[in-house]
Amino acid sequence: MRVSLVSMPWQALHWPSLALSVLDTVLTDLGCEVTQIYGNLQFAEYLAGNHQTGGELSPDDYHIVCDTGFAYGVGEWVFSSALYEPGWRLTRFREHLEHKGYAHADAAERMHRLAPRFVELTADRVLATRPDLVGISSAFEQNVPSLALAAALKRRRPDLPIVMGGANCDGPMGAALHRNFPQLDYVVRGEGERPVRELLEAFAGQRAMADVTGLCWRDADGRAHENPYVARPTPGHLLPVAKVDPFFEAVHASPARPWINGLALRLETSRGCWWGEKRQCTFCGLNGGGIGFRSKPAKRAFDEISSAVAKFGVLDVMLSDNILDPSYFDTLLPWLAALDWDLNIFYEVKSNLKPEQMASLAAAGVTTVQPGIESLSSRVLALMNKGATGAAQVRALRLFREHGIHPMWNYLYGFPGERWLTDYAHVAEQIPALVHLPPPNGITRVTLDRFSPLFDDPTLGVDEPLLPAAWYPLVYDLDGEELLELAYTFEYPPKGIDDNDAAKLAIVVEQWRERSARSSMTCRAVDDVVVIEDRRIGWPARDHVLRGARASAYLALARHLTMPGLLAVLGDQPDLREWLGEWKADGLVYEDAGTWVALAVPGVRDAAA
Amino acid sequence: MPQRRLQALRAPFTESSAVRAVARTFGKFVAGPRMHELTVQCDVSVVGELAWLLRDTGVAGLRVVVRTNGSVPVRAVRDLALAGVARLQIDGHRELAEAELPEWFEMSKATVAFGLPLRWNGTMPPPARPHARHLPPPGNDEMWCRDWKFGMLGWRRGPGFVEVLDCRDGLQQLTIVSDTLTPLFGRELNRPSGLEGADAALREAGLVAVFAGRAVWLPYRLRAWPVNPL
Ligand code: B12
Ligand code: SF4
């Protein structure tokens, strides 16, 4: 059987689609002849062609929509011209973009005009591979482009079976897509490894369609059926090796290549989340079915990463894991370090790493992490079930700075039950003391995503009737009930702090971002003296010299400790409270919920130039 | 019990006397001006030994500045960096002569690669200047200082290949098979070669320069990220 797998816009251009890469392996192992089609690259090429012929668009416009469009449905609307008709709800959509202050509306409208022709060309390309089955993968803003392609294929070859899967098809979303879009013969919900095998068995008459895990399908009369949605996550040792060759072949030959800087490998070493398994963070949209943690045996993970780096000559590796497997600290990471390659690896990690674990990450070439800092207030962290305290998060930022690892994070706010006075005022007040530590990218009001506890459990505080994000009704020609089933992000009346308070937080965070590159605060412990050199913007340049018991107390606060905790380390220390007060006034420590942590970064070097 | 835990907290920082003793053995030793600072001034001929011993003692929390009078060998740069020395300083105003450039370039590359700040004052012969924009600038050259950023021209080791990131004029990424380079410049690409290293294409690309009949591989090894010098 010949299978063509397609990834449409707006999948990023810098790396392979992991869905296509792993499904290729699964299908090839089942004896299929597989072609991967990077429709996203082809759209960028289409824009590049348009650029060369004097048009006003280029692949840079692709990057912009890919990076900024998700929150406003821009990428989806661009392709509504191909799914419905050119000019689809144009005025209302432009008003929506204007209301949101979206800066690239003109480019989006131009792309909207180009999309129908592009979809026809893509359908030609897909059919040129003479497929017996077409599989389309949809996540983020790939729904409308994928539905448009499926419709174009059906117009040409009504008998060609089309199956769609991916993060947009999980749970009720997949069933809604299937019900409302007859161009989709099948929709696979959840992980694909097992359903794909079972679907091929069903094609071969060895199994009933009703017996394919989680499948949505149609019977001979065209009636839609929805098999029970049961999670059957692929075990770690069976996670397929990603076949990324087709992406690299395509991108290297692509006329859009000059617009794509910094190619990266995209691989996975695990799925699910060992933290969420126990206590899922309330905003996290990881599906209950897929949340069970499974990782690849370390040796396999190592072989896959190292051989892909060697084969494609790419040292930048993005791992798709939701959270690093802690057992890799003793296996995969030291093995990667021993290679002595200058890798640049991205991993998501839990923030409560020990200093030696940070060192191990850095040695292996993990340069960028997403550590789930989210907030610096214990109460808000508890509201979101993060399992961390504010002081622990600050300590993590300090350790990342010390180990030269770049943490990517956003300050999340808007959790039901939070209050400015108890949960933010003291953070905003202390942020000027943190300017030498890695700042957040910005502040973000928490979004309400399907599968998250906030979405599923009204007792957590969002108890109003659900409303899909504003752009869904502008993009889809569907009624409200169906949109409720199809949508992934939802609107709700703002909770927690209001926009005025958020603006206060935004101001100090922006200041943090501006000041961080030029700020430093290091400490050196020489014999029984601690010297803290404060060179933070906004503070007097000054050296603090702490001696004897004060020095010991400051060193002890390398870990975040409560007052009883500190006393347990130091023994009886009557002046402790006074010292802490002084240090807080000088911005040498951070305090949250009765827990203290030192802010100065142990330093050895001077600034570079 | 609390006492033992405190000692553990301080363990990596103890014994500044050991560092002072090493410093005293090799050169003029200046404590201060601040209590946690220490400057060791020594002849370049003994920097290697000093560095080797400091690697053993560490710096015990002190800000140790090493001052010397010539191009420090790459291995010593590495040891000073691993010891935790705060910076390396070359004394005087150096009018660099062409003949000493290969060693100077290798020292400069090594300081960036290992993250050891290098301070110096002086000038470079004009034909060499365009090849040195990515290396630590002399403090007296304002323009060079202003334009310098970490990561302007570096290489990364991959299996069987070397990736060059050149951000001197826009971003260029280049992959070169290791076998074409390591026989000439050594595994770390930090050993000047004879004229056989002066490959025309590499010179054209600004990756190799020839000084006094010796070819130098210009990029330093990039070990720290994120690099965003554009
Ligand atoms: C790695 C990752 C990223 C990376 C890389 C993303 C990329 N474009 O390549 C980064 C950090 C850049 C990122 C960014 C974003 N991400 Co993200 N990301 C992930 C993550 C953690 C893993 C994705 C992955 O590769 N998984 C492994 C692969 C193998 O799984 P898969 O793609 O789901 O495919 C399996 C099945 O879905 C199925 N399948 C897939 N396609 C098909 C097709 C067929 C025919 C069949 C039969 C089956 C099938 O089989 C596959 C194998 O089992 C997921 C969470 C998760 N655990 O899935 C979120 C996730 C995909 N991201 C999400 C979001 C919202 C975003 C952002 C929009 C965030 C933001 N607000 O900016 C951006 C958008 C970026 C963009 N435009 O490309 C959401 C998507 C929700 C949705 N409905 O689509 C997810 C699900 C997380 C979540 N629950 O919130 N992300
Ligand atoms: S946010 Fe991260 S740590 Fe929390 S449950 Fe989701 S994947 Fe796990």
Side-chain angles (χ1 to χ4, degrees), chain A residues 15 66 70 136-137 140 165-166 168 192-193 266 271 285 320 322 488:
Chain A
W15 49 66
C66 178
F70 180 74
I136 309 179
S137 179
F140 326 119
N168 277 333
E193 285 76 10
R266 212 149 87 68
R271 289 187 196 165
S320 71
N322 297 303
Y488 175 74

Side-chain angles (χ1 to χ4, degrees), chain A residues 4-8 17 19-20 23 133-140 142-143 146-147 150 162-171 173-175 177-178 184-193 195-196 199 213-216:
Chain A
S4 296
L5 296 174
V6 192
S7 182
M8 289 295 278
S17 151
L20 260 49
L23 292 174
L133 172 68
V134 173
I136 309 179
S137 179
S138 175
F140 326 119
Q142 290 174 296
N143 260 355
S146 301
L147 292 168
I162 295 178
V163 48
M164 189 154 107
N168 277 333
C169 300
D170 221 347
M173 300 183 291
L177 284 167
H178 185 254
L184 302 179
D185 297 297
Y186 307 96
V187 167
V188 164
R189 296 176 296 167
E191 291 181 17
E193 285 76 10
V196 159
L199 184 62
T213 306
L215 188 72
C216 301

Side-chain angles (χ1 to χ4, degrees), chain A residues 123-159:
Chain A
D124 291 341
R125 284 196 179 112
V126 173
L127 293 180
T129 62
R130 293 185 299 121
D132 303 308
L133 172 68
V134 173
I136 309 179
S137 179
S138 175
F140 326 119
E141 297 193 83
Q142 290 174 296
N143 260 355
V144 177
S146 301
L147 292 168
L149 174 67
L153 289 169
K154 281 287 179 192
R155 281 195 293 274
R156 289 171 165 72
R157 264 192 59 189
D159 61 314

Side-chain angles (χ1 to χ4, degrees), chain A residues 12-26:
Chain A
L13 301 175
H14 299 88
W15 49 66
S17 151
L18 203 44
L20 260 49
S21 313
V22 300
L23 292 174
D24 187 329
T25 303
V26 172

Side-chain angles (χ1 to χ4, degrees), chain A residues 310 313 315-316 340-342 344 367 524-527 529 531 533 535 543 552 555-556 569 604-606 608-609, chain B residues 2 9-10 13 16 34-36 60-63 81 85-87 114-115 117 119 148 156-157 159 161 187 221 225:
Chain A
L315 290 162
D316 302 299
D340 192 28
W341 299 345
D342 300 314
N344 180 20
T367 59
R524 295 168 171 277
V526 187
D527 305 323
V529 179
V531 184
E533 296 183 10
R535 302 291 181 272
D543 292 349
S552 299
L555 289 179
V569 179
V604 282
R605 303 276 159 69
D606 285 5
Chain B
L9 285 170
R10 262 212 223 97
F13 304 118
S16 73
R34 292 177 294 174
M35 49 100 20
H36 61 290
L62 292 163
R63 160 172 288 138
V85 164
R87 73 169 190 263
F114 290 105
R119 297 273 193 285
W148 187 86
R156 303 162 71 188
R157 187 201 306 291
F161 67 89
R187 191 180 129 83
R221 189 163 172 193
W225 292 82

